[in-house]
């Protein structure tokens, strides 16, 4: 299509760049882009970018062009770059993507995929170009790219421009004939193309010179271009000099390019080699004179404006040359360039680049300031990068900006380096106490004592030592002396793990001791740290009362937790309290209350400052839908098999428990056991498997799964272990909440005890009877809620199928019909030629599948499902 009709939100500005029309290459590209993936692989200077650009600028499609650098190996920085490329052709989609963090997990990738599914016109043609892809080595980024290009969007072709084979798995595309390849061999100029290129530049060397040039360059585009410049600027009769060595290329750059521009322009170009992303607004600021930008446009064969990424790009070899001259720029001027670049990046929400350039500029004050706008817990990669930066910081930085100490603590705690963090806290406190007290000193001591307290709180899970409340009291006192200083958001938001009650001892009274500590700490941290932890004590009591089965008490505590959390924007505390309200409402079969909780959960998705809102929403709704048998409503990442890289440390346990529940709802008991084993093998200070409630849940699920897999002895042993852990504190809900599965298991244990009184001796019959009755009632409530859900959604129950998807067999239906007709077990046995014991076994199976408590209940449920 004509260039002036090019579809882009950025006006096309070809400048003085010469684009040789290469029909041979265009034919190759025309064929290649019929595939979903095209790989363009060749060394530097072979004209990869120019060839792709020349083709796509005349192609009738929406083009998004992304230029990569080594810093794109940081996920958040890559994501900013990726969104920037999308914004040029689809601002609406880019705006939605900006609200999502880098999709380095399955759950986040599914969130990302919703955007193109809803924003891309399926009939539109689009080309996504990823330039300099050889610089990308981060497995998370590569994994995202691999999954992204594999997405089923027939109108999209992804072109990877790379000096080496991209580090993504293209085998599946190649094996299916869906991969286009343009190689170095394809891109080499033919002698005829080289001659034509010289011709359009009014260069007409003789046949011998052409032969010599082609022999020396072997079709290498950049070398041909430099040879052309040499011929164009040479005096008549000057012989051609072969381009065999890199040093000769640099000499040509020196004489033919740099020699043609002013000294001011040369200095400006060298400064540009200090940074990576050359945005027009940034360059205007660095230049200070618009004439410099205009002069730069005259050498756009080497520094050209990219309309797709809205940035200037310096040719690789020209950039290599400029870097050899960076020593000509005094250190102070280099730091000024980096500082101005950092300021621009910060103003344009490119925080990772801002941090990088502030560090180069030696401005640690601004570096720390940007870090305070990031979530409390860093990813491992970002934390490692920041720790390396601070380790390289000059000693005097720690004197001039004492806040760097508190930032190091945050990094170390994100990395789980708690012992080192505690040691550094002690040393920092010692040094600060030697200084005269000032508001800033009080501010830092506020954070130091609070962090030391949090480390001790986490350690108390294993030590049982709660003698550290004085640390929080000191934190609160220093906070009151800090002159009205407030901890900035989002550092005030408390991030919680799988359970609030971080106790791993089953002895009676241990949980109350822990909650009492939280009760003492919460008002202290709330005052000193801007609301942090407000509501944690009531949430912990909610959790405890819920697992004891005191649902009315738990409900009132959960409501209070929600109220407190909202007072200080403690989003995760509110989310977890809503989770318990959902579980309580389900246990009561209160469908209107469930709907009310869902509305509040949906409202949390609008809280843009709630970093983990989508992840936690998926987990909670996944738990609910798996309970009522609506597995199609569970997002795929929750119910898929476990992938270790997907689970963050804070929510590892809760994610695994919900994933396990989903596997069980689908009857995938071996997959459920595999997921449970992950938690067993990866315990740490964040995992549910290290806490009492998590340990009980593990053993209960393990018991049920083993029973379904016909491992009765293993199931009984796991149930006995769970009972021993739960009994001292009367924690019955982990068992009752398993519904019909626990009823079947309890039946089996009771039956075994009837045969062998010593069997499962640690579990009293009375407790088993209580759990069986409670589980049966719970199953009935589940079924009632599932029915109400189906009615509201207009989804009638499938005849012969229970909500979990377990179908009644022909024999089970026959027995069920006989029951509905009032026949006794003996009569049914005689009619069907089965033994009475077999009939009893079939009836138990029917009860389990229907979630029925007795014969009348089974007949009622069967009638509602049109089975009788």
């Amino acid at each position: 299509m004509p260039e002036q009709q090019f579809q882009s939100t950025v006006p096309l500005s070809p400048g003085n760049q010469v684009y040789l029309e290469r029909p041979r290459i265009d034919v190759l590209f025309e064929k290649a882009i019929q595939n979903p993936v095209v790989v363009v692989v060749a060394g530097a200077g072979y004209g990869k970018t120019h060839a792709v650009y020349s083709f796509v600028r005349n192609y009738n499609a929406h083009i998004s062009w992304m230029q990569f650098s080594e810093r794109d190996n940081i996920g958040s920085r890559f994501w900013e770059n990726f969104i920037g490329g999308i914004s040029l052709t689809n601002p609406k989609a880019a705006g939605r993507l900006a609200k999502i963090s880098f999709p380095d997990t399955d759950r986040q990738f599914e969130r990302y995929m919703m955007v193109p599914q809803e924003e891309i016109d399926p009939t539109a043609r689009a080309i996504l170009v990823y330039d300099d892809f050889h610089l990308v080595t981060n497995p998370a980024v590569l994994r995202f790219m691999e999954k992204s290009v594999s997405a089923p969007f027939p109108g999209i072709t992804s072109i990877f421009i790379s000096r080496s084979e991209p580090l993504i798995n293209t085998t599946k595309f190649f094996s299916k004939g869906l991969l286009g390849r343009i190689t170095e061999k394809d891109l080499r100029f033919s002698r005829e193309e080289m001659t034509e290129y010289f011709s359009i530049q009014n260069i007409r060397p003789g046949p011998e010179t052409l032969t010599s040039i082609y022999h020396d360059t072997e079709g290498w585009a950049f070398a041909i271009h430099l040879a052309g410049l040499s011929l164009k600027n040479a005096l008549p009769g000057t012989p051609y000099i072969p381009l065999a060595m890199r040093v000769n290329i640099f000499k040509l750059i020196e004489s033919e390019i740099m020699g043609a521009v002013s000294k001011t322009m040369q200095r400006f170009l060298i400064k540009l080699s200090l940074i990576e992303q050359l945005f027009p607004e940034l360059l205007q600021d660095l230049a200070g004179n618009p004439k410099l930008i205009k002069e730069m446009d005259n050498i756009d064969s080497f520094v050209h404006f990219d309309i797709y990424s809205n940035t200037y790009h310096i040719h690789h070899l020209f950039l290599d040359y400029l870097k050899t001259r960076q020593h000509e720029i005094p250190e102070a001027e280099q730091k000024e360039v980096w500082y101005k670049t950092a300021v621009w990046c910060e103003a344009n929400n490119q925080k990772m680049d801002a941090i990088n350039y502030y560090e180069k500029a030696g401005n640690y004050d601004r570096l720390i300031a940007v870090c305070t706008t990031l979530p409390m817990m860093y990813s491992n990669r970002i934390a490692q990068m920041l720790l390396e930066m601070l380790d390289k910081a000059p000693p005097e930085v720690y004197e001039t900006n004492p806040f760097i100490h508190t930032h190091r603590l945050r990094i170390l705690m994100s990395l789980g380096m708690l012992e080192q963090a505690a040691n550094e806290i002690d040393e920092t406190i010692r040094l600060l106490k030697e200084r005269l007290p000032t508001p800033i000193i009080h501010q830092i001591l506020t954070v130091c004592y609070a962090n030391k307290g949090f480390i001790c709180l986490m350690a108390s899970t294993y030590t049982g030592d709660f003698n550290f409340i004085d640390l929080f009291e000191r934190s609160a006192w220093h906070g009151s002396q800090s002159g009205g200083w407030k901890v900035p958001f989002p550092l005030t938001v408390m991030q919680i793990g799988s359970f609030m009650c971080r106790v791993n001892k089953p002895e009676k009274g241990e949980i109350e001791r822990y909650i009492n500590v939280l009760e003492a700490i919460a008002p202290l941290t709330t005052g000193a740290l801007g609301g942090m932890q407000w509501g944690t004590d009531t949430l912990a009591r909610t959790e405890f009362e819920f697992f004891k089965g005191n649902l009315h008490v738990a409900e009132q505590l959960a409501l209070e937790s929600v109220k407190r959390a909202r007072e200080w924007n403690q989003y995760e505390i509110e989310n977890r309290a809503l989770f318990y309200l959902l579980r309580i409402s389900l246990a009561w079969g209160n469908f209107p209350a469930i709907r009310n909780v869902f509305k509040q959960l949906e409202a949390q998705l609008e809280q843009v400052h709630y970093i983990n809102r989508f992840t936690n929403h998926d987990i909670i709704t996944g738990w609910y839908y798996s309970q009522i048998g609506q597995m199609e409503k569970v997002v795929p990442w929750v119910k898929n098999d476990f992938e270790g890289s997907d689970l963050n440390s804070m929510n590892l346990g809760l994610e695994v428990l919900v994933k396990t529940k989903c596997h069980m709802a689908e009857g995938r008991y071996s997959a459920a056991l595999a997921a449970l084993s992950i938690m067993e093998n990866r315990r740490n200070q964040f995992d549910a498997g290290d806490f009492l409630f998590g340990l009980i849940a593990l053993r209960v699920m393990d018991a049920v799964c083993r029973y379904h897999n016909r491992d009765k002895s293993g199931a009984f042993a796991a149930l006995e272990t769970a009972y021993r852990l739960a009994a001292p504190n009367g924690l019955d809900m982990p068992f009752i909440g398993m519904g019909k599965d626990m009823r079947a298991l309890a039946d089996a244990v009771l039956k075994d005890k009837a045969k062998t009184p010593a069997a499962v001796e640690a579990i009293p019959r009375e407790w088993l009877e209580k759990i069986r009755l409670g589980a049966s009632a719970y199953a009935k409530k589940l079924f009632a809620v599932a029915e109400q859900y189906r009615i509201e959604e207009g989804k009638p129950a499938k005849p012969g199928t229970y909500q979990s998807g377990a179908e009644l067999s022909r024999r089970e239906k026959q027995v069920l019909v006989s029951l509905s007709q009032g026949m006794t077990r003996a009569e049914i046995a005689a009619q069907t030629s089965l033994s009475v014991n077999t009939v009893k076994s079939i009836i138990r199976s029917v009860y389990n599948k229907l979630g029925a408590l007795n014969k009348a209940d089974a007949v009622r449920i069967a009638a509602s499902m049109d089975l009788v």
Side-chain angles (χ1 to χ4, degrees), residues 362-389:
N363 194 316
Y364 290 89
D365 291 345
R366 289 307 311 159
L367 185 153
I368 298 299
V370 174
C371 288
T372 60
T373 67
L374 300 175
M376 173 66 75
M377 296 293 290
Y378 294 126
S379 70
N380 189 69
R381 184 178 287 269
I382 292 177
Q384 290 284 3
M385 179 194 76
L386 293 174
L387 186 59
E388 290 174 7
M389 287 183 175

Side-chain angles (χ1 to χ4, degrees), residues 367-644:
L367 185 153
I368 298 299
V370 174
C371 288
T372 60
T373 67
L374 300 175
M376 173 66 75
M377 296 293 290
Y378 294 126
S379 70
N380 189 69
R381 184 178 287 269
I382 292 177
Q384 290 284 3
M385 179 194 76
L386 293 174
L387 186 59
E388 290 174 7
M389 287 183 175
L390 296 191
D391 282 343
K392 292 186 297 182
E396 59 268 21
V397 170
Y398 287 83
E399 295 292 327
T400 58
N401 186 348
F403 276 108
I404 199 169
H405 292 284
T406 63
H407 190 65
R408 278 185 63 88
L409 300 179
R410 182 177 161 201
I411 295 170
L412 293 172
M413 293 176 73
S414 294
L415 292 170
M417 302 168 66
L418 302 185
E419 184 176 353
Q420 182 177 340
N423 292 335
E424 291 198 14
I425 289 174
D426 291 338
E427 179 63 15
T428 300
I429 291 175
R430 185 187 67 79
L431 292 172
L432 293 178
K433 285 195 169 183
E434 294 177 355
R435 300 188 182 186
L436 291 174
T438 65
I440 290 180
I441 296 298
H442 284 302
Q443 292 169 22
I444 299 170
L445 287 172
T446 298
V447 177
C448 284
Y449 279 116
N451 282 334
K452 184 66 178 291
F454 285 131
I455 291 173
C456 291
L457 181 64
M458 285 188 278
S460 70
T461 299
Y462 315 99
T463 65
D465 181 4
F466 296 124
N467 295 317
F468 51 79
I469 296 178
D470 64 306
L471 294 171
F472 291 100
E473 291 173 343
R474 294 181 196 180
S475 173
W477 184 85
H478 284 289
S480 69
Q481 303 299 307
S482 61
W485 169 75
K486 300 293 183 184
V487 178
F489 182 87
L491 303 185
T492 57
V493 178
M494 176 73 179
Q495 290 182 270
I496 60 178
S498 305
F499 295 98
M500 282 306 304
C501 295
R502 300 169 62 90
V503 174
N504 62 7
K505 296 180 181 179
E507 288 80 12
K508 186 174 179 61
E510 286 296 310
I511 298 174
E512 286 91 341
R513 287 182 64 209
Y514 186 85
I515 295 175
N516 289 338
V517 170
L518 293 182
E519 195 170 50
I521 291 172
L524 299 173
T525 55
T526 296
L529 303 176
M532 180 180 287
Q533 281 203 311
W534 191 235
T536 52
D537 55 323
T538 51
L539 179 58
R541 291 193 185 280
T542 297
E543 190 173 81
F544 188 28
E545 295 298 332
F546 174 79
F547 284 118
K548 287 195 294 183
N550 299 330
L551 302 187
H552 287 284
V553 177
E555 180 188 40
Q556 295 306 309
L557 288 167
L559 291 171
E560 179 64 20
S561 298
V562 170
K563 177 184 175 183
R564 291 191 184 189
R566 288 174 179 171
E567 289 173 358
W568 287 95
N569 295 323
Q570 298 299 300
Y571 304 115
E572 300 227 7
I573 294 174
E574 176 188 351
N575 182 267
R576 195 58 54 81
L578 290 173
F579 183 31
Y580 282 111
L581 284 174
L582 179 65
R583 299 175 76 168
I584 292 166
S585 300
L586 187 58
W588 284 336
N590 190 338
F591 191 70
I594 290 171
R595 280 302 185 206
N596 180 48
V597 173
F598 257 78
K599 288 179 181 178
Q600 296 178 72
L601 289 170
E602 294 294 329
Q604 277 204 308
L605 295 179
E606 302 302 318
Q607 297 286 354
V608 295
H609 297 301
Y610 178 13
I611 305 299
N612 296 323
R613 61 192 184 279
F614 292 114
T615 297
N616 290 342
H617 186 270
D618 287 349
I619 292 172
I620 291 175
T621 57
W623 177 88
Y624 170 72
Y625 288 125
S626 67
Q627 286 288 81
I628 66 170
Q630 296 296 319
M631 296 307 297
E632 73 279 2
K633 297 287 289 184
V634 180
V635 295
W637 77 264
V638 172
K639 59 185 175 182
N640 288 348
D641 288 346
F642 177 83
E643 295 183 39

